[in-house]
């Protein structure tokens, strides 16, 4: 029979495993890693663990043609249906920006698709103290939810605001390029549902892939977000206004860009 008046000790024993792990990681980071040898270790900025196996010989990237994006949010909805994040949290979004025009003319509305950039130098990977965030040989960056302790370091490290702590699992969450679909020959949900054909995904190692052919046609128009961060993002944009290249932050639905 359960004790109707449990002691404080008994109550303390109910502390979640996640809380214990978070405290353990914090202690290890504070006292253990800081005092070890000079070699880069998990949590150090210079640490990049070996990539885990992916689809052999491939390096996936995505091209977003903003001239074809109509801001319909079909990609956002299909991603949510496919990957089931909590209500109100999204792995990909299409943010609406209102840009003031010179001469007092009507503001222009810009629809900007946002997602994880699956960088070649992902800053989210080295900051993870338990190596829950990792990159595969095909470039896809994933989260091992069995290892993740929800510390949020990777969320803060991402310069693209592409990560969040899942309200239900209390672990890091983000776009995965729908790797489970790619592995069986299907397109990611967002690409498949895009009514304007604004999103193209493919193998950057294949010179004959659709993405490489499209990028070759528009080589002078290609841009990435925040190139100064030196993350080598693998989400490319056509038609991205220069005003958005260096100054995109947050996940607001409508943003006024008045200084450009």
């Amino acid at each position: 029979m359960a004790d109707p008046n449990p002691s404080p000790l008994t109550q303390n024993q109910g502390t979640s495993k996640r809380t214990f792990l978070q405290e353990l990681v914090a202690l290890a980071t504070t006292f253990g890693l800081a005092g070890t040898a000079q070699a880069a270790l998990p949590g150090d900025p210079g640490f990049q663990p070996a990539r885990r196996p992916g689809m052999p010989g491939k390096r996936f990237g995505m091209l977003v043609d903003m001239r074809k994006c109509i801001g319909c949010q079909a990609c956002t909805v299909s991603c949510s249906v496919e990957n089931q994040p909590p209500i109100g949290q999204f792995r990909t979004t299409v943010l609406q920006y209102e840009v003031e025009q010179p001469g007092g003319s009507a503001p222009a509305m810009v629809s900007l698709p946002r997602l994880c950039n699956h960088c070649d130098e992902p800053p989210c990977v080295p900051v993870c103290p338990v190596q829950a965030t990792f990159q595969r040989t095909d470039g896809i960056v994933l989260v091992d939810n069995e290892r993740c302790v929800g510390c949020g370091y990777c969320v803060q490290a991402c310069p693209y605001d592409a990560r969040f702590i899942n309200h239900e699992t209390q672990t890091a969450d983000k776009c995965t390029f729908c790797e489970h679909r790619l592995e069986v020959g299907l397109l990611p949900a967002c690409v498949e549902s895009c009514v304007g054909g604004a999103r193209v995904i493919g193998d950057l190692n294949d010179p004959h892939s659709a993405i490489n052919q499209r990028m070759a046609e528009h080589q002078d128009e290609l841009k990435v977000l925040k190139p100064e961060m030196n993350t080598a993002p693998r989400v490319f944009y056509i038609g991205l206004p220069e005003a958005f290249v260096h100054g995109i932050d947050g996940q607001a639905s409508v943003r006024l860009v008045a200084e450009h």
Side-chain angles (χ1 to χ4, degrees):
M1 181 176 179
D3 186 353
N5 298 301
S7 67
L9 177 60
T10 303
Q11 292 176 335
N12 289 338
Q13 289 175 342
T15 302
S16 69
K17 176 183 178 182
R18 186 170 307 284
T19 300
F20 169 76
L21 288 173
Q22 289 174 335
E23 293 172 352
L24 182 63
V25 167
L27 288 172
T29 303
T30 302
F31 299 108
L33 299 181
T36 55
Q38 296 181 359
L41 294 170
D44 292 344
F47 179 74
Q48 283 287 355
R51 296 187 182 187
R52 302 186 192 179
M55 296 179 68
K58 296 184 180 294
R59 203 312 173 197
F60 289 102
M62 184 176 289
L63 176 65
V64 179
D65 191 339
M66 292 180 57
R67 303 169 305 173
K68 298 182 177 182
C69 177
I70 61 174
C72 67
Q73 302 292 345
C75 54
T76 302
V77 173
S78 62
C79 174
S80 294
V81 171
E82 177 72 26
N83 297 294
Q84 296 292 303
I87 294 176
Q89 294 187 301
F90 306 96
R91 290 185 173 188
T92 187
T93 58
V94 180
L95 302 187
Q96 306 294 325
Y97 293 86
E98 186 178 87
V99 183
E100 289 187 349
Q101 300 296 302
S105 57
M109 293 301 297
V110 175
S111 298
L112 177 60
R114 302 277 298 277
L115 66 157
C116 172
N117 280 248
H118 297 274
C119 311
D120 255 356
E121 297 292 336
C124 55
V125 173
V127 299
C128 180
V130 294
Q131 298 188 49
T133 287
F134 64 95
Q135 188 168 34
R136 305 196 320 187
T137 54
D138 53 19
I140 298 177
V141 178
L142 299 175
V143 178
D144 183 345
N145 294 110
E146 296 297 321
R147 296 181 66 99
C148 180
V149 296
C151 66
Y153 290 170
C154 62
V155 176
Q156 296 300 318
C158 176
Y160 307 105
D161 300 297
R163 287 172 167 258
F164 57 92
I165 297 298
N166 186 301
H167 291 162
E168 295 177 354
T169 64
Q170 292 301 306
T171 59
D173 204 335
K174 60 177 244 4
C175 159
T176 65
F177 272 173
C178 280
E179 92 290 349
H180 60 290
R181 293 175 61 89
L182 289 174
E183 289 172 350
V184 294
L186 300 175
L187 294 173
C190 65
V191 177
E192 187 173 78
S193 65
C194 182
V195 297
R199 297 191 184 211
V200 178
I201 195 167
D203 181 9
L204 296 174
N205 289 340
D206 179 4
H208 303 294
S209 64
I211 187 172
N212 273 333
Q213 292 179 9
R214 185 84 65 89
M215 289 172 64
E217 293 173 4
H218 301 277
Q219 186 173 2
D220 295 335
E221 305 171 64
L222 293 177
K223 294 178 182 177
V224 297
L225 294 176
K226 297 186 177 181
E228 70 277 5
M229 299 302 295
N230 298 317
T231 63
R234 288 300 178 262
V235 172
F236 305 91
Y237 291 87
I238 297 175
L240 179 67
E242 189 65 32
F244 295 93
V245 172
H246 306 284
I248 294 300
D249 292 300
Q251 292 288 349
S253 59
V254 177
R255 182 72 54 83
L256 178 64
V257 182
E259 64 270 24
H260 299 284

